[in-house]
Amino acid sequence: MGEKRIRNMEEFAAVSGISRPTLSKYFNDPDSVRRTTRERIEAALSQYDYRPNVYAVNQNRRKTRNIGIVVPNLADPFFSEIGREVELACMAAGYSPILLSSHGNPAQERVNLESLRALKPAGVLLAPFGKASDRADIERFSKDVPVVTFDANIEGVCEAFVGTDNFQCVDLMVEYLCRSGEPPCFFEMKTPSNPNANKRRQAYLEAMARHGFAPHIHQVPGEGWKFEEIGATEGGKLMAAGAFETDTVLCSNDRLAIGMLSAAYELGMQVGHGKGCVLRIAGQDDHPFSRYTCPPLTTIAQDYGAIANRAASTLFGIIENETRLTEREETLFEGTLVMRASA
Amino acid sequence: MGEKRIRNMEEFAAVSGISRPTLSKYFNDPDSVRRTTRERIEAALSQYDYRPNVYAVNQNRRKTRNIGIVVPNLADPFFSEIGREVELACMAAGYSPILLSSHGNPAQERVNLESLRALKPAGVLLAPFGKASDRADIERFSKDVPVVTFDANIEGVCEAFVGTDNFQCVDLMVEYLCRSGEPPCFFEMKTPSNPNANKRRQAYLEAMARHGFAPHIHQVPGEGWKFEEIGATEGGKLMAAGAFETDTVLCSNDRLAIGMLSAAYELGMQVGHGKGCVLRIAGQDDHPFSRYTCPPLTTIAQDYGAIANRAASTLFGIIENETRLTEREETLFEGTLVMRASA
DNA sequence: AAAAATAATTAACGCGCGTAAAATTTAAGT
DNA sequence: ACTTAAATTTTACGCGCGTTAATTATTTTT
């Protein structure tokens, strides 16, 4: 191993017997040099551990191999999961992911994009807030850097969007709930910033119409990202008041449902489809913890991996072709019903 | 605003009427130039938006202002919370935090440190795995870069450690449980990689002795980071078999407790201290979701903010004094009892 | 107001690497 | 073995900024 410390590519060229420009080519793309040369380089590499200075490399290269990943809130396990999948996809493709959380704050999203700009990323994978995001800012940013959005769409902005088909998901759930018991009421926040919430409400209305039932939407006040708390306090009030028209509630997302389950427990209302149960509660997203709620939460699972990989590979395609998409792409994956005890 | 694009410091010097070396000084430390000069620079800055190229800056500066933050698993809300606090502390002090998750994989921890090395960080804040971490590797790394560990200690390695006083925490909980009902059994994994787990077991033994009760430790098999699952399946088996000697179980951490609560629910065992309850379950850490379990989890809260800030400021002290600590520091914060319905 | 102290300017070099052009070597093809 | 094509080496410049030394301008001191 390491005989003496190599300070730069010049010195490594000396000890390896390969010229610096060839080494430079190799580090940019190992396959761009002849096999025998590559082997000589790699032999030397295992002997003298040397790595090009990232800062010098990135200063001189037009485009770096950095990929910015921005998610609204890493404290939400949903985003930490999908963020991780995206990260892995980037690394597998030889890029350097830089994962940033906006900490539930749309202003931080702007800050994050601004910091990313300084890093001259080859591309950005963005899970935006939706309506709360600064559309103009993102549009401006995506002029300079190719951006693929995932999870939440911003109509007409960025190269492509990859997400879940909310209509298919809600339809699946509504169909199941109607078939197995009373038709569901819909529980959500009054001012959801996430565009998925709006699609889900719309999908609920359409699905209920299709099944010939009257829809019942309950919107509750509440700001921020404390969904469980909102679900617990506001959902609890509704349950206590007997405000739900049927014995089944479909929540706009799992975190609201988790809050409602907690409130139902407090109220002594047994949730589930077994005997003695007075309420069914269902969620959406298959939150990592929904398997451990009491009772375990019936929900719709999004295909995290598929979304992450498709978003990443779409971005890589744009980067590697050096050409923006002629037409904006939208890809939606289907969700699957996860039947547990709560509904 | 932006009249024409400024490509480098040279051009900004031209339009601002300030020489380049002075600008360089300013960007390194705004207070190092005369007030009148500073104002002229900032006036120009608001007109021509220019920012120094990070790569060129970091290539030439001896030490960057990057701070590496490495946590074992961002998918665990505990670490995403504390990671966020650390991040904020770094930004507040004018550093650039780079948050990396080891995804529950000790090998990834080595990879993360290796990637950080390339970024020449001024310092690193590391929440290690503990025994599962590569002690030698971390020791070697901390020779080159000042490292402060937090959450989990590695005896004798790195400049300093900041964490929670497990003995005080467990003592607090044991005292409460003994005073309010039957003394607790202790539930944990057989091979916990986290050193806190070992301290907690030890603390449990001492606390029980002090109160004059016989300790009962139940260790269950299970690998990895699926603590809820392990708590549910293995804890469930123990509950079903009536293996716990008393009606009170103290879990090594909240995530195990969440799993146990879920299993207890399945078994129809009512958990809590009210009437009709057959079991009390307590956790440790005040996991963000433990407020919404059924019943809500009684636990010990760590002072996330204090730990994060102390770890960060200790590191900044070392960086700014350019001198390593003569003696390794260990700081422990006290936990507080969070009484909820489960125990 | 002149002298002393402080700050800014000019000029120039270096950091580590990308990259281009020309010269040279190596491999492939018949 | 000879021609061609492909790969490598030599040489040299540029990227954007840190930094230093000598010079000049500005402020502070008495």
Side-chain angles (χ1 to χ4, degrees):
Chain A
M1 295 274 165
E3 326 249 322
K4 65 168 192 180
R5 279 199 63 196
I6 307 294
R7 321 190 124 276
N8 54 39
M9 204 179 275
E10 193 91 45
E11 287 188 17
F12 185 66
V15 300
S16 66
I18 307 285
S19 74
R20 199 171 66 71
T22 302
L23 288 175
S24 180
K25 277 195 71 181
Y26 169 83
F27 285 114
N28 273 315
D29 175 11
D31 291 327
S32 66
V33 303
R34 202 185 292 148
R35 188 178 56 78
T36 56
T37 313
R38 183 165 58 246
E39 283 165 356
R40 287 172 59 200
I41 295 176
E42 278 158 5
L45 223 40
S46 68
Q47 216 176 114
Y48 288 96
D49 94 307
Y50 157 77
R51 291 173 58 180
N53 179 309
V54 278
Y55 298 113
V57 169
N58 284 330
Q59 174 178 14
N60 292 306
R61 252 211 284 262
R62 304 265 164 120
K63 32 186 236 179
T64 68
R65 290 189 69 81
N66 295 333
I67 301 285
I69 305 171
V70 181
V71 297
N73 201 349
L74 271 183
D76 186 329
F78 172 79
F79 287 113
S80 70
E81 268 295 318
I82 201 165
R84 172 167 188 268
E85 295 275 357
V86 174
E87 229 182 331
L88 293 177
C90 289
M91 295 179 68
Y95 290 91
S96 304
I98 298 159
L99 178 60
L100 300 178
S101 163
S102 300
H103 301 315
N105 177 6
Q108 182 69 40
E109 188 171 86
R110 282 210 310 279
V111 174
N112 282 343
L113 291 181
E114 197 55 37
S115 329
L116 279 179
R117 207 187 273 276
L119 299 180
K120 305 188 193 306
V124 167
L125 290 159
L126 170 66
F129 283 94
K131 276 197 303 189
S133 287
D134 184 336
R135 185 194 164 95
D137 186 68
I138 293 175
E139 197 160 13
R140 208 175 319 122
F141 184 86
S142 72
K143 285 237 185 339
D144 303 330
V145 182
V147 178
V148 170
T149 53
F150 64 99
D151 180 61
N153 196 5
I154 302 183
E155 296 285 346
V157 179
C158 302
E159 298 295 297
F161 166 71
V162 183
T164 292
D165 184 345
N166 288 295
F167 286 88
Q168 177 266 341
C169 288
V170 171
D171 198 46
L172 196 60
M173 180 61 92
V174 169
E175 195 278 332
Y176 162 71
L177 292 174
C178 289
R179 176 164 48 82
S180 57
E182 296 183 18
C185 303
F186 193 78
F187 179 73
E188 66 170 348
M189 286 165 66
K190 188 173 287 166
T191 51
S193 67
N194 191 306
N196 290 323
N198 299 317
K199 290 231 175 64
R200 286 172 184 177
R201 183 193 321 111
Q202 191 61 34
Y204 166 76
L205 291 171
E206 292 180 13
M208 290 294 276
R210 204 171 313 124
H211 288 84
F213 293 112
H216 301 288
I217 294 181
H218 294 266
Q219 297 184 316
V220 295
E223 293 295 315
W225 281 73
K226 297 184 168 181
F227 298 156
E228 292 85 4
E229 188 179 317
I230 293 167
T233 60
E234 300 297 330
K237 282 184 203 166
L238 294 177
M239 285 187 288
F244 291 112
E245 291 80 359
T246 69
D247 73 356
T248 303
V249 180
L250 172 56
C251 299
S252 184
N253 62 62
D254 274 5
R255 294 183 58 194
L256 284 173
I258 289 170
M260 279 202 67
L261 286 174
S262 142
Y265 185 91
E266 293 292 314
L267 293 167
M269 300 175 70
Q270 194 164 342
V271 176
H273 51 246
K275 61 183 169 196
C277 294
V278 297
L279 192 61
R280 297 192 303 167
I281 294 179
Q284 289 183 73
D285 290 340
D286 196 23
H287 190 287
F289 283 30
S290 58
R291 179 187 303 266
Y292 301 102
T293 55
C294 301
L297 187 62
T298 289
T299 185
I300 297 282
Q302 297 194 37
D303 192 344
Y304 292 13
I307 294 173
N309 283 308
R310 175 66 67 90
S313 62
T314 303
L315 181 61
F316 302 154
I318 296 168
I319 291 169
E320 280 151 24
N321 291 330
E322 299 189 39
T323 162
R324 299 305 186 88
L325 262 39
T326 51
E327 201 160 342
R328 191 167 179 279
E329 266 178 21
E330 295 199 3
T331 310
L332 300 180
F333 286 94
E334 297 204 339
T336 50
L337 183 62
V338 179
M339 274 185 279
R340 300 205 184 96
S342 79
Chain B
M1 298 274 165
E3 326 250 321
K4 66 167 190 177
R5 280 198 65 197
I6 308 293
R7 322 190 123 275
N8 54 38
M9 203 180 275
E10 192 90 45
E11 288 188 17
F12 184 66
V15 299
S16 65
I18 307 284
S19 73
R20 197 170 68 70
T22 303
L23 289 175
S24 179
K25 276 195 71 178
Y26 169 83
F27 285 113
N28 273 316
D29 175 12
D31 292 327
S32 66
V33 303
R34 202 187 290 148
R35 187 178 56 76
T36 54
T37 313
R38 183 166 55 250
E39 283 164 356
R40 286 173 58 201
I41 294 174
E42 278 158 4
L45 223 39
S46 67
Q47 218 177 111
Y48 289 96
D49 94 308
Y50 157 77
R51 292 172 59 181
N53 179 309
V54 279
Y55 298 113
V57 170
N58 284 330
Q59 173 179 14
N60 293 307
R61 252 211 283 265
R62 307 253 166 132
K63 30 188 239 176
T64 69
R65 290 190 69 81
N66 296 333
I67 301 285
I69 305 171
V70 181
V71 296
N73 201 347
L74 272 183
D76 186 328
F78 172 80
F79 288 111
S80 71
E81 268 297 316
I82 201 164
R84 172 168 187 267
E85 295 275 356
V86 173
E87 229 181 332
L88 292 176
C90 289
M91 296 180 68
Y95 290 91
S96 304
I98 298 159
L99 178 59
L100 300 179
S101 164
S102 300
H103 302 313
N105 177 6
Q108 181 69 39
E109 189 171 86
R110 283 209 310 279
V111 173
N112 282 343
L113 290 181
E114 198 53 38
S115 330
L116 280 179
R117 206 187 275 275
L119 300 180
K120 304 186 194 306
V124 166
L125 291 159
L126 169 67
F129 283 94
K131 277 196 304 188
S133 287
D134 184 337
R135 185 194 165 96
D137 186 68
I138 293 175
E139 198 159 13
R140 207 175 318 123
F141 184 87
S142 72
K143 285 237 186 331
D144 303 331
V145 182
V147 178
V148 170
T149 52
F150 64 100
D151 180 62
N153 195 5
I154 302 185
E155 297 285 346
V157 179
C158 301
E159 298 294 297
F161 166 72
V162 182
T164 293
D165 184 344
N166 287 294
F167 286 89
Q168 178 266 339
C169 287
V170 170
D171 199 45
L172 196 61
M173 179 61 90
V174 169
E175 197 277 331
Y176 161 72
L177 292 174
C178 290
R179 175 164 49 81
S180 57
E182 297 184 17
C185 304
F186 192 78
F187 178 73
E188 66 171 347
M189 284 164 67
K190 188 172 289 170
T191 51
S193 67
N194 192 306
N196 289 324
N198 299 315
K199 290 231 176 62
R200 286 172 185 177
R201 183 192 320 112
Q202 190 61 35
Y204 165 77
L205 290 171
E206 292 180 14
M208 289 295 276
R210 204 173 310 122
H211 288 84
F213 292 112
H216 302 287
I217 293 181
H218 294 266
Q219 297 183 316
V220 295
E223 293 294 317
W225 281 73
K226 297 185 167 179
F227 298 156
E228 293 84 5
E229 188 180 318
I230 293 167
T233 58
E234 300 297 330
K237 282 185 204 167
L238 293 176
M239 287 187 287
F244 291 113
E245 291 80 358
T246 69
D247 74 355
T248 303
V249 180
L250 173 55
C251 299
S252 183
N253 62 62
D254 275 5
R255 294 183 57 195
L256 283 173
I258 289 171
M260 278 202 66
L261 286 173
S262 142
Y265 184 91
E266 293 292 315
L267 292 167
M269 300 175 71
Q270 195 165 341
V271 177
H273 50 248
K275 62 182 167 194
C277 294
V278 297
L279 192 62
R280 297 193 302 168
I281 293 179
Q284 288 182 72
D285 290 340
D286 197 21
H287 191 286
F289 283 29
S290 57
R291 178 186 304 266
Y292 301 103
T293 54
C294 302
L297 187 63
T298 290
T299 184
I300 297 282
Q302 296 195 38
D303 193 342
Y304 292 13
I307 294 173
N309 283 307
R310 175 65 68 89
S313 63
T314 303
L315 182 61
F316 301 155
I318 296 168
I319 292 170
E320 280 152 25
N321 291 329
E322 300 189 39
T323 162
R324 299 304 186 89
L325 263 38
T326 52
E327 202 161 341
R328 191 165 179 281
E329 265 179 20
E330 294 199 4
T331 311
L332 298 181
F333 287 95
E334 297 203 340
T336 51
L337 183 62
V338 179
M339 274 184 280
R340 301 203 184 98
S342 78

